Amino acid sequence: MLALSALVSGSCLYAAADVTAVPPSAPALEERRAELVEPMLADYCSRCHNDFDHVAGLSVEGLKADDIATGRNAETWEKILRRVAAGEMPPHSKKQPEPALRADFVNWLDEGRARFVMANPDPGAAPVRRLNRREYANAVRDLLGVEGDFAAALPPDNSGFGFDNIADVLSVSPTLMERYVAVAGKAARLATGLVPKRDFVTSWQVAKDGSVMNSGIPAFNERAGADLPLGSRGGTAVRYTARWDGAYDVAVWLNSNTNNESDRLAEDRFVLRVPMKAGVHSVAVSFRRQTWPDEAVQVVRNTTDYVPLPLEKPVDLPLDVWVDGARAGTLTVPSFRVHPRYSQHNFPRDVLQLDVAGPFDAAGNADLASRKAVFVCQPKRTVEEALCARRILGSLARRAWRGPVSEAELAPLLKIYESERAAGGFESGVEAGIEALLVSPRFLFAVETPVAGPAGSAQHISDYDLATRLSLFLWSSIPDERLLALAGQGKLHQPVVLAAEIARMLADRRAEALTENFAGQWLYLRNLDQQRPDINEFPQFDVPLRSAMATETRMFFGHVLAANRPVTDFIRADYTFLNERLARHYGIDGVRGPAFRKVSLGADIPRGGLLGQASILTVTSYGNRTSVVKRGKWILDNMLASPPPPPPADVPALKTEHDGRLLTAREQLELHRANPACASCHQRMDPLGFALENFDAVGAWRAQDAGQVIDAGAVLADGTAFKGFTGLQQILLDRREEFARAFTERLMTYALGRGLGPQDMPAVRAIARDAAKDDWRVQTIIRGIVMSSGFTLRRVPTPPTNVALAVSGWRPHR
């Protein structure tokens, strides 16, 4: 097999390629083309994939063995290679080639495709790409040192190929530009500290469960989060940026435990005024945990006709207010509220909303960290202001625009500075210049420097463009000073330097963006907030559990990444990350408190790996039941990169009953597969989904479904039988090469910001093979992607032909 650690041409990275030739004793595969290709295509493919039947939109009649050496029909050959190598073609119901013939055909095709790409590197299209809203927010944070939820102020981005950083779908509209201008103005004012001294309110809603069986909204007699004090219960903790030194009101709206939680009545609001310095603070409120039955609750449930009154009067409860981990004061609040329309005492009281208002009696803000980062100089005389402004804006522009800035490029920013300085002074001028910088095309768009060389050839991108690609990939942000310095020295393309920077960047906290943005979309974690399990079927599902599910998967992915674990941990691992709420959901003892920690899993615990995590199991289920099909499709799509075709539009719904009897998922699908048009796809998906049937629709373990013992056994299309979750894990581990390629393919799509083409697939396979030599470690895959031709090269444009120019109407200037 041809193992390539980097399919890249050029003096630096080309030497990293490791080409393993065919053993000398075997005839060269090129000389066996007719012996390999013609029997495979004629005997095993052409009966279905011909110009007449055209099954799956594929015909092999026009394919020639010479195509591999010339690069023709590359997309079709890649489809054939993927299906034949996976053993999916020919269909298992049809005549199969001898294993030796299949292996030789796959090797010949794989090596031939790799050799062609090696000789003809094609990095694919490099379209101009707009920063998506998360990249923009991170870039503003890293450039100016300001914290704020800037991404939430921008509209959601469209997705393509499963990700929202794909260039082709990141469009621009006048409405979007208006939002960018508004966010840029807010960020510039926060960074310079030129925000108004008038007070205003920032609010945070505390996530709550909906009314359960007409019984109000629960609070919990437990510590609400790891950011809150030990021995506390309920409440919330937030990050707040104080714009000025001064006093601030921390206002708490209490949960009245009713069905009318949209109410905000004055008697539910309690306020404490606290001093804060300008800067970022942790603000929290919490009750003090008590042991039952000291804080007893009525367990009677309301009906729509009758509301039981409390049996006793409210008692006073202490509500602590914390700033930066220190108790700033304590409010005294009643344990519940009686209202003329309702009165409930079913749950401990809790916080529904937190407001911070201010500043009052505002003083200075010279110590604001962002001001120190922005105002690297302070002119003492008027004549020094222009030079200082040039230094400030020039330094920021170099970071924001990811490279050197010429005088001509800086001139428009300085012109804006001069205009505003004349009206409002030096600092106002700098603020206006920063605002313009944050909406400039070079900041909003990743525009790369054209490369020089023969038309159509592949050439190295500049070191600055490589720094930008790298930082957008690993940090979803702009390059830092070290990356820009290495780029300016022309060192970033050197393999040793580049590998060291990858390791440094992955160890940086900003690499959490890979978990949030890549894993969040690859694993469908962003869908978890929209999942609404039926409260009658799953009364144990609540906000703390939903949050814990997402945290487990994020921490698990982040650990695999940071610890450079093998990607096979995603299939099977003897550890996970749990807090008490999630451990209780899993039936695992010995975990206490809301803080997450790494927990070892014994062989008798059916968890470990992604498929044992409740987040994945929940987003692949319906609100009231599991879905064998959704779970099987998720595995094919996300773990094997082999999705089934979309279903036809007229697929009937599954029948949940037959002859008055509830049907199990297996029985429902057996009826469904009786339709031959459905059977071909379901025989690939369903066995994988059946193996997970012991997990209910919120990921809890169960033994029965519809009153019957669950049968988690399954048989793959090739006849391989397995049983349950552990059997599925072993099936996937046996296909670890396929999983590594699928993971590489998804991560490479995210890294390049475009869909992969046939020219990219030899690199995907080579990266996965190199990872196999290093125990499938995830950072080896990341390095392979960064050093691939798709990441480090760019194609020199081919000049338009006279015909194309005539069609476009273009004429040269005279």
Side-chain angles (χ1 to χ4, degrees):
M1 299 287 286
L2 183 65
L4 304 177
S5 60
L7 289 173
V8 184
S9 62
S11 58
C12 292
L13 297 180
Y14 186 80
D18 173 22
V19 180
T20 304
V22 179
S25 58
L29 288 177
E30 288 79 358
E31 298 176 2
R32 299 177 57 195
R33 290 181 299 183
E35 180 183 345
L36 291 171
V37 180
E38 292 178 6
M40 282 294 295
L41 298 185
D43 297 344
Y44 302 100
C45 303
S46 62
R47 296 181 184 180
C48 298
H49 301 289
N50 52 62
D51 291 344
F52 180 76
D53 297 297
H54 217 245
V55 174
L58 177 66
S59 174
V60 300
E61 291 190 8
L63 300 182
K64 305 293 183 184
D66 291 340
D67 290 350
I68 305 305
T70 60
R72 289 192 301 269
N73 298 312
E75 185 172 356
T76 301
W77 283 111
E78 283 291 343
K79 289 180 180 178
I80 293 172
L81 175 57
R82 182 191 290 268
R83 297 300 187 191
V84 175
E88 296 174 1
M89 287 292 158
H92 296 287
S93 60
K94 305 293 184 181
K95 178 184 175 183
Q96 298 294 307
E98 291 294 327
L101 176 60
R102 182 191 294 271
D104 282 350
F105 176 78
V106 168
N107 288 354
W108 169 79
L109 188 48
D110 186 9
E111 292 182 20
R113 289 284 304 133
R115 286 196 180 99
F116 175 80
V117 171
M118 190 77 169
N120 304 274
D122 181 3
V128 174
R129 180 165 82 79
R130 173 176 63 82
L131 302 187
N132 67 24
R133 63 174 184 163
R134 287 178 172 81
E135 292 167 340
Y136 182 87
N138 291 345
V140 170
R141 175 202 65 199
D142 294 341
L143 177 68
L144 302 177
V146 293
E147 288 196 25
D149 196 1
F150 301 120
L154 297 169
D157 298 294
N158 294 327
S159 295
F161 303 99
F163 300 105
D164 63 3
N165 67 339
I166 303 300
D168 289 344
V169 300
L170 289 171
S171 57
V172 181
S173 67
T175 301
L176 178 61
M177 288 307 303
E178 289 177 3
R179 297 307 308 152
Y180 273 125
V181 170
V183 171
K186 179 181 179 181
R189 289 190 295 274
L190 286 174
T192 56
L194 298 182
V195 289
K197 291 186 178 182
R198 62 177 178 81
D199 63 283
F200 69 89
V201 180
T202 304
S203 298
W204 292 267
Q205 299 288 328
V206 180
K208 292 287 184 181
D209 294 301
S211 175
V212 181
M213 303 290 290
N214 199 36
S215 184
I217 296 180
F220 302 92
N221 187 40
E222 58 190 29
R223 186 179 174 205
D227 294 331
L228 291 164
L230 295 171
S232 67
R233 74 152 182 86
T236 190
V238 299
R239 299 278 288 176
Y240 176 72
T241 300
R243 297 162 295 132
W244 294 84
D245 298 347
Y248 291 81
D249 282 351
V250 178
V252 184
W253 297 86
L254 292 184
N255 179 14
S256 56
N257 299 309
T258 76
N259 295 331
N260 303 330
E261 292 300 348
S262 60
D263 291 350
R264 297 292 187 274
L265 301 179
E267 52 263 49
D268 281 331
R269 185 175 184 268
F270 299 86
V271 183
L272 179 70
R273 180 163 291 189
V274 299
M276 280 193 274
K277 301 285 288 183
V280 180
H281 299 275
S282 170
V283 178
V285 291
S286 64
F287 290 95
R288 300 174 189 177
R289 184 171 181 176
Q290 299 183 22
T291 58
W292 305 113
D294 296 339
E295 199 170 319
V297 297
Q298 277 185 205
V299 296
V300 293
R301 293 195 179 279
N302 305 328
T303 70
T304 55
D305 301 320
Y306 172 70
V307 177
L309 293 175
L311 302 178
E312 53 194 15
K313 293 182 179 180
V315 298
D316 289 338
L317 297 176
L319 176 62
D320 294 320
V321 178
W322 308 84
V323 177
D324 297 328
R327 185 185 288 113
T330 300
L331 295 165
T332 300
V333 303
S335 57
F336 64 92
R337 172 169 58 80
V338 179
H339 187 270
R341 288 186 291 132
Y342 48 77
S343 175
Q344 292 186 353
H345 188 210
N346 291 356
F347 300 101
R349 207 163 198 195
D350 199 6
V351 176
L352 185 65
Q353 178 176 313
L354 175 65
D355 298 341
V356 179
F360 303 100
D361 304 323
N365 62 359
D367 292 333
L368 203 61
S370 60
R371 278 185 56 86
K372 295 179 180 179
V374 170
F375 293 106
V376 293
C377 58
Q378 283 287 354
K380 296 181 180 179
R381 297 178 299 171
T382 303
V383 294
E384 298 174 348
E385 290 182 354
L387 186 62
C388 181
R390 179 183 298 273
R391 179 182 171 189
I392 291 171
L393 294 177
S395 175
L396 291 175
R398 174 176 169 273
R399 285 283 315 280
W401 293 345
R402 286 87 73 180
V405 179
S406 67
E407 289 295 322
E409 292 168 329
L410 190 59
L413 293 181
L414 294 176
K415 186 175 181 180
I416 292 172
Y417 155 78
E418 288 290 352
S419 175
E420 187 63 28
R421 179 213 165 275
F426 170 74
E427 292 193 353
S428 294
V430 171
E431 180 201 340
I434 293 174
E435 184 175 351
L437 181 66
L438 297 183
V439 291
S440 62
R442 281 189 63 181
F443 183 65
L444 290 177
F445 296 89
V447 182
E448 296 182 347
T449 306
V451 292
S457 66
Q459 303 293 331
H460 280 295
I461 59 175
S462 74
D463 279 58
Y464 286 109
D465 289 335
L466 180 57
T468 298
R469 289 189 181 187
L470 190 59
S471 59
L472 287 175
F473 173 27
L474 301 182
W475 288 346
S476 295
S477 185
I478 56 177
D480 63 359
E481 282 294 344
R482 178 175 173 81
L483 275 176
L484 290 177
L486 290 171
Q489 297 165 11
K491 294 180 178 179
L492 195 55
H493 263 102
Q494 298 174 10
V496 174
V497 174
L498 187 55
E501 285 305 292
I502 294 169
R504 177 184 73 89
M505 295 176 72
L506 289 175
D508 192 284
R509 186 174 181 179
R510 283 168 285 189
E512 292 175 1
L514 263 181
T515 300
E516 192 66 29
N517 300 325
F518 169 70
Q521 296 177 87
W522 173 49
L523 302 176
Y524 296 5
L525 285 182
R526 292 185 182 178
N527 298 352
L528 189 59
D529 283 342
Q530 283 71 52
Q531 202 74 9
R532 293 291 180 266
D534 188 325
I535 197 65
N536 293 307
E537 294 289 333
F538 307 105
Q540 76 276 21
F541 188 88
D542 53 28
V543 166
L545 179 59
R546 184 200 305 275
S547 175
M549 288 176 176
T551 301
E552 175 194 21
T553 304
R554 290 193 185 100
M555 291 186 71
F556 180 76
F557 182 91
H559 174 76
V560 172
L561 182 66
N564 196 19
R565 294 288 304 166
V567 294
T568 50
D569 278 15
F570 293 133
I571 299 174
R572 184 165 66 194
D574 60 0
Y575 63 92
T576 190
F577 294 83
L578 303 174
N579 69 350
E580 182 177 359
R581 182 68 186 85
L582 190 56
R584 188 165 66 244
H585 184 64
Y586 287 170
I588 296 175
D589 297 326
V591 180
R592 296 288 181 268
F596 275 78
R597 76 294 310 259
K598 186 178 180 182
V599 176
S600 296
L601 300 174
D604 59 329
I605 299 177
R607 300 288 171 177
L610 294 172
L611 295 177
Q613 295 181 7
S615 62
I616 306 299
L617 296 162
T618 301
V619 297
T620 54
S621 298
Y622 293 111
N624 60 348
R625 62 177 176 85
T626 61
S627 173
V628 168
V629 174
K630 288 179 70 173
R631 288 176 174 178
K633 182 181 182 299
W634 189 92
I635 294 171
L636 288 176
D637 199 4
N638 292 280
M639 301 191 78
L640 299 175
S642 182
D650 56 350
V651 174
L654 295 177
K655 295 181 179 181
T656 59
E657 293 185 16
H658 183 67
D659 292 336
R661 181 176 63 86
L662 289 176
L663 300 178
T664 65
R666 184 179 295 273
E667 291 170 333
Q668 294 174 34
L669 284 165
E670 285 175 353
L671 287 176
H672 185 72
R673 284 198 303 270
N675 184 344
C678 302
S680 60
C681 291
H682 281 278
Q683 69 179 354
R684 295 180 58 214
M685 295 184 293
D686 294 357
L688 305 175
F690 279 132
L692 299 174
E693 271 298 279
N694 280 119
F695 298 108
D696 68 16
V698 293
W701 186 262
R702 61 179 183 173
Q704 292 187 340
D705 177 32
Q708 302 181 50
V709 175
I710 290 173
D711 176 9
V715 180
L716 297 178
D718 64 0
T720 303
F722 63 100
K723 187 176 179 63
F725 174 65
T726 56
L728 176 59
Q729 286 181 315
Q730 190 57 53
I731 289 290
L732 294 174
L733 281 175
D734 292 341
R735 300 172 69 174
R736 58 174 63 88
E737 296 89 350
E738 193 173 344
F739 170 71
R741 289 195 297 270
F743 176 78
T744 303
E745 189 173 336
R746 285 307 180 94
L747 188 57
M748 195 168 183
T749 299
Y750 176 83
L752 299 181
R754 61 169 174 81
L756 301 189
Q759 77 279 359
D760 300 303
M761 300 316 297
V764 169
R765 292 189 290 271
I767 292 167
R769 280 196 294 267
D770 278 352
K773 301 173 185 176
D774 192 26
D775 195 25
W776 312 99
R777 297 195 181 276
V778 64
Q779 292 189 19
T780 302
I781 292 177
I782 290 174
R783 283 196 301 272
I785 290 172
V786 171
M787 293 183 175
S788 69
S789 61
F791 200 92
T792 58
L793 302 184
R794 184 175 179 179
R795 191 166 51 216
V796 179
T798 302
T801 63
N802 291 334
V803 173
L805 293 177
V807 171
S808 68
W810 182 86
R811 295 290 184 274
H813 294 290
R814 297 187 182 277

